[in-house]
Amino acid sequence: MPTTMSGGTAEQLRAPDRRPRAVLLDVFETMLAVDALGSRFVDVGRPAHEWELFFTRALRDGMAHTLAGPTRPFADVARAALHTTTHHTLSDEAVEHVLAGFATLPPHPDVEPALMALARARIPAYAFTHGAEAVAASALDGAGLRTYLRGVLSCEQIHSFKPPARVYHWACRQVDQPVDRVALVAVHSWDVHGAVRAGLVTGLATRLEGAVPDVVELPHVAAERLDTVVERIIALPS
């Protein structure tokens, strides 16, 4: 198998450092602040900090299910993860109250400047999520970000979570661009790792994790803020 710049093996060669023709942006945590779910946990009598364990568990379970075959929708996986996180103490109504918070999450402050920069550079931007397209679209509408986006892509359509290569390749087909001319931008290093190995250009905003972990494929660009990541992607040679 081909070898990547960081020494691992990948399904195809690492994309060159080249300005993309389209950018995929992860939604939850990258664009929208998931910690706002904490108030919903408080509403139903649970500690605010449980939002993090719940969200991490939902992603882990979705990835594990993907390894075994086609997955259920994100909402189903998240619902089960929420019941587990709260030790099955919440009523169905309380669970739905927490999950409804995904549609009302606020944006991180570095997101709109990033999207404005892509618009000025005439590089189409797309939201790319595990969750339901309608929920992500509603949340992005409420956050005032949807107007900057060419579309919202959900890998629910192919019954998978990220990060298998086929998920990123599917997204590239949706935006009608070659894999190595599409960029994936996220705050999750595992997401960027998957995209590098799938042959995309990548950008990691380190505001969530603090640094690039030494166990992942190196992103093409990295910076703390999302808008700085985007500016560096735009500055790549064409």
Side-chain angles (χ1 to χ4, degrees):
M1 297 181 72
T3 301
T4 64
M5 291 178 64
S6 61
T9 57
E11 293 192 16
Q12 66 180 69
L13 291 174
R14 178 185 176 93
D17 291 349
R18 191 163 56 172
R19 180 174 176 166
R21 296 173 183 164
V23 172
L24 309 172
L25 294 109
D26 174 58
V27 176
F28 298 114
E29 284 291 23
T30 299
M31 288 198 280
L32 302 178
V34 182
D35 62 356
L37 288 179
S39 64
R40 298 253 171 175
F41 278 81
V42 173
D43 289 345
V44 298
R46 301 296 303 185
H49 66 77
E50 282 190 342
W51 77 267
E52 188 169 13
L53 176 58
F54 150 68
F55 186 61
T56 303
R57 176 173 273 144
L59 292 179
R60 181 205 65 185
D61 291 352
M63 293 176 192
H65 297 171
T66 295
L67 287 172
T71 63
R72 298 273 291 274
F74 176 82
D76 291 351
V77 176
R79 190 173 290 109
L82 184 53
H83 277 300
T84 301
T85 300
T86 58
H87 303 286
H88 300 271
T89 59
L90 296 185
S91 67
D92 291 343
E93 292 77 13
V95 166
E96 296 310 315
H97 174 73
V98 173
L99 295 181
F102 277 105
T104 63
L105 298 175
H108 286 286
D110 56 355
V111 179
E112 187 169 22
L115 293 174
M116 291 175 67
L118 288 170
R120 288 194 298 270
R122 298 188 178 182
I123 300 174
Y126 298 81
F128 185 32
T129 182
H130 296 290
E133 180 181 337
V135 172
S138 176
L140 292 164
D141 270 331
L145 302 176
R146 181 87 181 279
T147 185
Y148 297 105
L149 298 166
R150 187 70 61 88
V152 178
L153 305 177
S154 171
C155 50
E156 277 194 356
Q157 293 189 39
I158 56 171
H159 309 290
S160 181
F161 276 55
K162 295 180 276 183
R166 68 180 182 277
V167 179
Y168 303 100
H169 295 168
W170 169 82
C172 292
R173 291 194 296 273
Q174 306 315 299
V175 305
D176 196 26
Q177 292 294 339
V179 170
D180 64 353
R181 300 312 302 267
V182 177
L184 182 282
V185 175
V187 296
H188 303 286
S189 59
W190 57 262
D191 197 359
V192 171
H193 175 84
V196 171
R197 290 197 163 201
L200 281 72
V201 178
T202 57
L204 176 67
T206 60
R207 63 164 147 79
L208 177 67
E209 299 177 2
V212 180
D214 61 7
V215 294
V216 302
E217 300 288 346
L218 291 176
H220 292 72
V221 302
E224 181 179 2
R225 290 177 55 91
L226 195 75
D227 49 349
T228 306
V229 168
V230 164
E231 288 166 4
R232 292 178 181 178
I233 283 176
I234 292 171
L236 290 174
S238 56

